[in-house]
Amino acid sequence: MNLTSRISNFEFENPLMNASGVWCKEAEQLDELKRSQAGTFVTKSATPQQREGNPSPRYVEVPLGSINSMGLPNKGFDFYLDYSLRYQNENPEKINFLSIAGMCADDNLEMLKKIDSSDFKGITELNLSCPNVPGKPQVGYDFEATEKILSQVYEFFQKPMGVKLPPYFDFAHFDQMAAILNKFPLQYVNCINSVGNGLYIDTDSESVVIKPKDGFGGIGGAYVKPTALANVRAFYTRLDSQIAVIGCGGVENGRDVFEHLLCGAQMVQIGTQLAKEGPQIFDRVLSELQTIMKEKGYNSIDDFRGKLKSI
Ligand code: RRO
């Protein structure tokens, strides 16, 4: 069965990968992803310097998903660039995604300049949608700021790049954001980051469940699947065909992956459920996807990718 998926000129054996932030902060976790059945992986969103992030508890599994306010804990940009360079040297036919999320535009420009002048051959992800830095609104919800940072980036940046977007909920916003993104030579957009900001509470203790921001945080898991699918579909149908879509949100099994692919996703990421099950999850989900494809008589993802029917 052909599960090949593509972003730009890169081909991946299958469409599965981790969602940035999950199982990808430490070298040991990235090593496990490398050894897993995932088609590729993305590193934890990096800032120029390492960060401890917010106080714990800051990630909690709840019945239908997760709530997090991690606050960008990461080992610093150089660590993830070095890791990616080593990966491509050891596996010349493979590449990974390198995610960055500066605390301000200058941070992002500084990291992108380093990537541009490095030997990195993979794909850069500019995260415009971290919901968890107090006092910092998500760039992706500020349309002018999004256009400005992309204009600044493409004054010099020559390598493959995509953006991680927050969820949008309104047709006018799908239209406006897609029109902005279509102005730039992006390789892909990634829909969606966690739905910020939600509030999960524990009735027995009459308390919030995470410590930062009085309990407010990004929601992931089954709660967000319909929102994720809507964003994948909305951008797939609005973006120029050379900009791919990566789907992320609510993926627990092969059926969820199939739905993201049907909406038009090239790659499909797993976050909350990966945190719960570990990298073994990729074996299970891949075989579930293949069973569904077999039942439906599909030999290749390209037979049904993006072909969601209207009624
Ligand atoms: O680290 C985080 O708090 C975080 C990030 Br950078 C992100 O992009 N999305 C999220 O849910 N948490």
Side-chain angles (χ1 to χ4, degrees):
M1 200 167 276
N2 181 1
L3 300 181
T4 307
S5 292
R6 287 163 218 89
I7 301 279
S8 180
N9 295 328
F10 301 104
E11 227 175 62
F12 304 97
E13 222 169 85
N14 72 65
L16 299 188
M17 58 188 293
N18 64 308
S20 181
V22 180
W23 221 281
C24 59
K25 175 173 168 274
E26 307 293 335
E28 297 74 24
Q29 296 174 315
L30 290 162
D31 290 347
E32 284 185 73
L33 289 179
K34 273 189 331 196
R35 290 194 295 268
S36 78
Q37 288 299 310
T40 183
F41 62 91
V42 56
T43 53
K44 170 68 186 169
S45 291
T47 49
Q49 306 303 327
Q50 77 166 76
R51 280 173 58 86
E52 289 306 315
N54 291 337
S56 295
R58 58 191 188 178
Y59 181 97
V60 171
E61 274 168 14
V62 296
L64 291 177
S66 62
I67 182 164
N68 91 83
S69 184
M70 303 298 288
L72 261 167
N74 75 91
K75 295 173 86 76
F77 171 75
D78 289 347
F79 173 85
Y80 300 104
L81 177 60
D82 288 349
Y83 189 94
S84 303
L85 291 172
R86 250 182 295 126
Y87 178 64
Q88 73 186 30
N89 289 340
E90 288 159 13
N91 305 271
E93 74 296 358
K94 291 190 173 175
I95 60 107
N96 68 287
F97 291 68
L98 175 61
S99 173
I100 61 164
M103 306 291 281
C104 59
D106 282 348
D107 278 2
N108 284 326
L109 296 171
E110 176 191 330
M111 291 186 281
L112 288 167
K113 281 182 183 145
K114 281 192 178 178
I115 294 171
D116 208 43
S117 59
S118 76
D119 289 332
F120 180 59
K121 295 189 176 64
I123 308 181
T124 301
E125 177 159 295
L126 176 60
N127 182 355
L128 298 178
S129 48
C130 175
N132 292 327
V133 182
K136 297 275 176 193
Q138 295 180 44
V139 178
Y141 284 144
D142 182 336
F143 290 44
E144 268 177 39
T146 298
E147 183 159 2
K148 187 171 172 203
I149 182 72
L150 290 176
S151 302
Q152 289 173 322
V153 168
Y154 282 113
E155 274 173 22
F156 67 92
F157 197 68
Q158 304 279 350
K159 294 190 169 181
M161 189 185 87
V163 286
K164 176 97 174 213
L165 297 174
Y168 300 98
F169 302 92
D170 192 292
F171 271 66
H173 293 160
F174 293 139
D175 292 342
Q176 286 166 24
M177 183 48 78
I180 291 170
L181 298 170
N182 276 331
K183 294 182 188 174
F184 299 98
L186 287 161
Q187 258 66 42
Y188 74 91
V189 304
N190 185 341
C191 305
I192 57 173
N193 208 318
S194 59
V195 177
N197 273 281
L199 184 62
Y200 191 88
I201 61 177
D202 179 62
T203 359
D204 292 340
S205 62
E206 303 177 15
S207 167
V208 303
V209 298
I210 55 172
K211 188 175 172 72
K213 298 191 306 183
D214 293 326
F216 286 68
I219 306 295
Y223 289 115
V224 312
K225 191 173 81 168
T227 299
L229 294 176
N231 277 262
V232 170
R233 189 66 182 165
F235 283 101
Y236 179 75
T237 53
R238 283 167 177 75
L239 292 174
D240 295 341
S241 60
Q242 66 271 20
I243 306 181
V245 179
I246 294 182
C248 181
V251 176
E252 295 181 350
N253 54 44
R255 181 170 293 269
D256 300 323
V257 176
F258 184 83
E259 291 177 11
H260 271 272
L261 296 169
L262 205 53
C263 287
Q266 276 292 340
M267 303 297 287
V268 179
Q269 301 187 330
I270 310 182
T272 299
Q273 199 64 21
L274 167 61
K276 214 168 173 175
E277 287 182 41
Q280 288 284 337
I281 190 176
F282 295 111
D283 301 64
R284 173 177 69 78
V285 172
L286 266 186
S287 82
E288 290 167 355
L289 174 64
Q290 284 170 298
T291 304
I292 293 170
M293 286 173 62
K294 209 166 162 197
E295 277 166 15
K296 289 176 174 283
Y298 292 131
N299 295 316
S300 144
I301 294 179
D302 291 332
D303 293 345
F304 62 92
R305 194 194 314 271
K307 295 185 180 163
L308 178 66
K309 294 176 199 151
S310 296
I311 51 171

